[in-house]
């Protein structure tokens, strides 16, 4: 496929620039000619999201980053598994917004078999169960397996994490009946191919799968709804927000 100078905002609402760099290193070799990646890291919040409270703050950080950096972009890739702020971004943005977890789950479900998610951080189990339900994919979900290290820990020591992740993938297939396993999380970006060599079930990299969905969206973006859910919200005054986000909230259609 060919692209005519299109820009993708790669938005990481974690506040770790190292995590943003990891995702960029995985995506850059997959980026076709004519596409430019514009990274943005959360300006405030947790270094790595591993709880509901951190995720709630990250949703605000995602909106803040889009308001500041999204004005010249043709699509937004919310490059954080769990997709904090996903539907709010879809509402405020005038361009396609693709979430890493959203795209990976939809792709895994489309493959036909039930799927599992393997990720780092014990608190992600119920959070992701609710997220999959919000996508209407609960019946396709075989299990969610969380390993003790967080995604940030895994990113810091990928070599020491491969065997642990492979064991979790085998458990998902053999115990839970998963035909596909998603390695979920920015901190796990780029590890799926190495884990795949150690297991018999299909393993998807959430970062790579999400990016493929963003590229597809550039070729066939859906029209922004003019009314109803995910249409631009009515302009509203605000207090305490950043300049860019306050301006966006007071006149959402300005960003294009």
């Amino acid at each position: 496929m060919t692209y005519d100078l299109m820009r993708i905002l790669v938005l990481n609402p974690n506040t770790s620039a190292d995590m943003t760099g990891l995702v960029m290193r995985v995506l850059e070799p997959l980026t076709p000619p004519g596409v430019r990646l514009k990274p943005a890291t959360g300006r405030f919040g947790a270094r790595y999201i591993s709880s509901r409270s951190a995720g709630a703050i990250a949703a605000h950080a995602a909106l803040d980053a889009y308001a500041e950096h999204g004005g010249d972009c043709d699509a937004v890739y919310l490059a954080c598994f769990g997709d904090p702020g996903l539907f709010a971004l879809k509402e405020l943005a005038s361009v396609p917004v693709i979430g890493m977890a959203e795209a990976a789950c939809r792709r895994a479900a489309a493959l036909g078999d039930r799927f599992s998610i393997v990720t780092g951080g014990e608190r992600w189990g119920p959070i992701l169960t609710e997220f999959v339900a919000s996508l209407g994919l609960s019946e396709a979900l075989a299990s969610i397996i969380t390993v003790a290290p967080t995604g940030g820990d895994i990113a810091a020591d990928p070599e020491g994490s491969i065997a642990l992740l492979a064991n979790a993938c085998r458990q998902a297939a053999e115990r839970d009946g998963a035909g596909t396993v998603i390695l979920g999380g920015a901190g796990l970006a780029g590890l799926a191919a190495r884990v795949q060599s150690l297991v018999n079930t299909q393993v998807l990299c959430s970062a790579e799968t999400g990016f493929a969905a963003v590229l597809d969206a550039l070729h066939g973006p859906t029209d922004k709804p003019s009314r109803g859910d995910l249409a631009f919200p009515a302009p509203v005054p605000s207090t305490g927000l950043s300049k860019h986000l306050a301006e966006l909230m007071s006149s959402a259609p300005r960003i294009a």
Side-chain angles (χ1 to χ4, degrees), residues 8-9 11 66 70 73-78 89 93 95-99 214:
I8 298 171
L9 179 66
L11 200 167
Y66 169 71
C73 292
D74 302 286
V76 178
Y77 183 23
L78 184 55
L89 281 169
V95 297
V97 177
I98 304 296
V214 178

Side-chain angles (χ1 to χ4, degrees), residues 193-230:
R194 296 177 62 187
V195 172
Q196 181 70 81
S197 68
L198 301 175
V199 300
N200 293 324
T201 194
Q202 183 171 9
V203 179
L204 297 181
C205 171
S206 61
E208 295 175 6
T209 304
F211 188 57
V214 178
L215 295 178
D216 286 344
L218 286 177
H219 267 278
T222 56
D223 292 334
K224 177 75 176 178
S226 60
R227 62 184 64 187
D229 191 32
L230 304 185

Side-chain angles (χ1 to χ4, degrees), residues 4-177:
D4 184 16
L5 194 56
M6 291 185 165
R7 295 178 177 85
I8 298 171
L9 179 66
V10 181
L11 200 167
N12 168 31
N14 298 280
T15 58
S16 170
D18 289 342
M19 194 67 64
T20 306
L22 170 61
V23 172
M24 292 294 290
R25 288 193 297 275
V26 170
L27 299 186
E28 282 167 351
L30 306 175
T31 304
V35 174
R36 300 291 181 267
L37 304 183
K38 182 178 181 179
T41 303
R43 190 172 57 84
F44 52 84
R47 296 286 291 170
Y48 193 85
I49 301 161
S50 57
S51 66
R52 292 182 185 276
S53 51
I57 296 167
H60 178 186
L63 296 175
D64 182 79
Y66 169 71
E68 182 174 358
H69 302 290
D72 62 349
C73 292
D74 302 286
V76 178
Y77 183 23
L78 184 55
C80 174
F81 205 77
D83 297 354
L86 174 65
F87 296 106
L89 281 169
K90 288 178 181 286
E91 179 183 73
L92 284 178
S94 57
V95 297
V97 177
I98 304 296
M100 179 185 286
E102 172 196 33
C105 290
R106 292 196 189 283
R107 174 58 182 159
L111 292 174
D113 295 320
R114 298 175 75 212
F115 69 91
S116 289
I117 298 169
V118 169
T119 193
E122 62 179 355
R123 290 176 178 261
W124 276 108
I127 297 171
L128 290 174
T129 298
E130 293 168 11
F131 179 79
V132 172
S134 76
L135 300 177
L137 298 177
S138 292
E139 292 187 1
L141 181 65
S143 62
I144 296 171
I145 299 177
T146 59
V147 297
T150 67
D153 295 332
I154 293 170
D157 182 23
E159 295 294 332
S161 304
I162 297 298
L164 180 67
L165 295 172
N167 183 63
C169 290
R170 284 192 290 267
Q171 188 179 49
E174 297 167 8
R175 184 194 68 186
D176 304 325

